[in-house]
Amino acid sequence: MNVGLLGFGTVGSHFYLLAQQQPGVKVKAVLSRRPRPEVSCLVTADVARILSDPDIDTVVEAMGGLHPAYEYITAAMEAGKHVITANKQVVCTYYNELLALAEKTGVALRCTAAVGGGIPWLTSLRRAARMDKMVSVEGIVNGTTNFMLSAMVRRGASFADALHEAQLLGYAEADPSADVEGYDARRKLVLSANLAFGVSLMEEDIPCVGITNIQPRDVAVVRDKGLTFKLMAYACREARGISAYVAPVLVQQHTTEANVEDTGNILTLVGEHIGRQSFLGAGAGGWPTASNVLADCLAVAAGERGYYTRDCTPCFVKNELLDGQWFYRFKGEYYFRQCTAEAAFSTYAVHLMEDPEALMAKVR
Ligand code: HSE
């Protein structure tokens, strides 16, 4: 396999090093605006040199962002090249188009590294969804916010210091608001739910609350109740569609989720017959994420084609049947409320109009 590598940031540079040790996976060219003296193959700022090279059969996109990643991915597929990406934003946003293009061109499109960093989640979910009817998917899917919450809970770090540390360690997205506002988790939820339920969800349809309003006093209050905050994504099959949300969740301190620390992710599927299965591991960082990119290369080299599924029926998000307990801080007062997820997010939107620092969390 001859690879054209687009991007040489955290994921790209680690993939380059991993590929050096993998017979059969040869990086032939790297797209980079800057000189890369550590790279022994062609380094170019001209993507056309990679996309028009008939010797390059596979493009690994590790640039992130929507544009020009989308244009480069589609051009590569049109040129008959397989595409492997860690870019959840581009796959989530152009889901139907990219699946259709993979089908039309007969190439492989894989993004296992896009959800769960180094965890083989999408491949495991695909395996489960082929043999069983999926009931729900959920998990801690953002390493940056989990790292930050761990630092805030265990070391009493401030929100700003914890974020700065996560950025220095290369965990955060280029725009870290995608992490702390929950958008990165929501994209990972879309990719997971789409695969689990054979649907195509719109990212914007899923209510999403991040961790920006969690304050040290909240951490102390919930700790006294034997609880801890985790940012979690959840989706389940309902009678009339799919229920889904991203929100801070209060989990009991003795649970597995509560003890997923630092950049750890945990992803759980529930199937009608196989029951509950959880996948736990490193959810961010160069080596784990690049390992999943490399695993995708090996799968393509072994003959995998297309996307993981062809099923992508457009589907609405319906949260009016999903009942549960929710926790709020509004104007300095804490309270619990039993209601549907739809009502919970509506209440929070009203709270935010009067108190921009208001907090909401799901109680597990
Ligand atoms: N910013 C992402 C995270 C990177 O922190 O989870 C891995 O997808």
Side-chain angles (χ1 to χ4, degrees), residues 7 30 61 87 191 215 252 282 296:
V30 172
E61 185 274 306
N87 186 334
L191 295 182
Q215 299 179 357
Q252 307 230 348
D296 277 351

Short mmCIF file of all heavy atoms in Angstrom, two decimals, residues 7 30 61 87 191 215 252 282 296:
data_model
loop_
_atom_site.label_atom_id
_atom_site.label_comp_id
_atom_site.label_asym_id
_atom_site.label_seq_id
_atom_site.Cartn_x
_atom_site.Cartn_y
_atom_site.Cartn_z
N GLY A 7 -1.36 16.16 6.01
CA GLY A 7 -1.30 16.72 7.36
C GLY A 7 -0.22 16.04 8.18
O GLY A 7 -0.05 14.81 8.12
N VAL A 30 4.03 13.40 1.76
CA VAL A 30 3.37 14.08 2.88
C VAL A 30 2.98 15.48 2.42
O VAL A 30 3.81 16.20 1.84
CB VAL A 30 4.32 14.18 4.10
CG1 VAL A 30 3.71 15.07 5.19
CG2 VAL A 30 4.64 12.80 4.66
N GLU A 61 -6.03 11.15 5.53
CA GLU A 61 -6.32 12.57 5.79
C GLU A 61 -6.22 12.81 7.29
O GLU A 61 -7.00 12.26 8.07
CB GLU A 61 -7.71 12.94 5.25
CG GLU A 61 -8.03 14.40 5.36
CD GLU A 61 -8.63 14.79 6.70
OE1 GLU A 61 -9.64 14.17 7.10
OE2 GLU A 61 -8.08 15.71 7.34
N ASN A 87 -10.97 12.27 10.88
CA ASN A 87 -11.68 13.55 10.92
C ASN A 87 -13.18 13.33 11.10
O ASN A 87 -13.92 13.13 10.15
CB ASN A 87 -11.38 14.28 9.61
CG ASN A 87 -11.92 15.68 9.57
OD1 ASN A 87 -12.90 15.99 10.25
ND2 ASN A 87 -11.30 16.52 8.76
N LEU A 191 -21.66 9.59 14.50
CA LEU A 191 -21.03 8.48 13.76
C LEU A 191 -21.40 7.14 14.41
O LEU A 191 -21.65 6.15 13.71
CB LEU A 191 -19.51 8.65 13.72
CG LEU A 191 -19.01 9.87 12.93
CD1 LEU A 191 -17.49 9.92 12.91
CD2 LEU A 191 -19.54 9.86 11.50
N GLN A 215 -18.39 24.40 37.73
CA GLN A 215 -17.51 25.20 38.58
C GLN A 215 -17.00 24.37 39.75
O GLN A 215 -17.61 23.35 40.11
CB GLN A 215 -18.28 26.41 39.09
CG GLN A 215 -18.76 27.31 37.97
CD GLN A 215 -19.56 28.50 38.46
OE1 GLN A 215 -19.82 28.65 39.66
NE2 GLN A 215 -19.97 29.34 37.53
N GLN A 252 -22.20 7.66 39.78
CA GLN A 252 -21.78 7.27 41.13
C GLN A 252 -20.27 6.98 41.12
O GLN A 252 -19.76 6.40 40.16
CB GLN A 252 -22.55 6.03 41.55
CG GLN A 252 -24.04 6.21 41.40
CD GLN A 252 -24.82 5.83 42.63
OE1 GLN A 252 -24.28 5.23 43.55
NE2 GLN A 252 -26.07 6.19 42.66
N ALA A 282 -7.57 4.45 25.50
CA ALA A 282 -7.09 5.82 25.31
C ALA A 282 -7.90 6.49 24.19
O ALA A 282 -7.90 6.01 23.06
CB ALA A 282 -5.61 5.82 24.96
N ASP A 296 -6.75 0.75 10.13
CA ASP A 296 -7.60 0.93 8.95
C ASP A 296 -6.83 0.65 7.66
O ASP A 296 -7.36 0.05 6.72
CB ASP A 296 -8.17 2.35 8.90
CG ASP A 296 -9.42 2.52 9.77
OD1 ASP A 296 -9.94 1.50 10.27
OD2 ASP A 296 -9.86 3.67 9.93
#
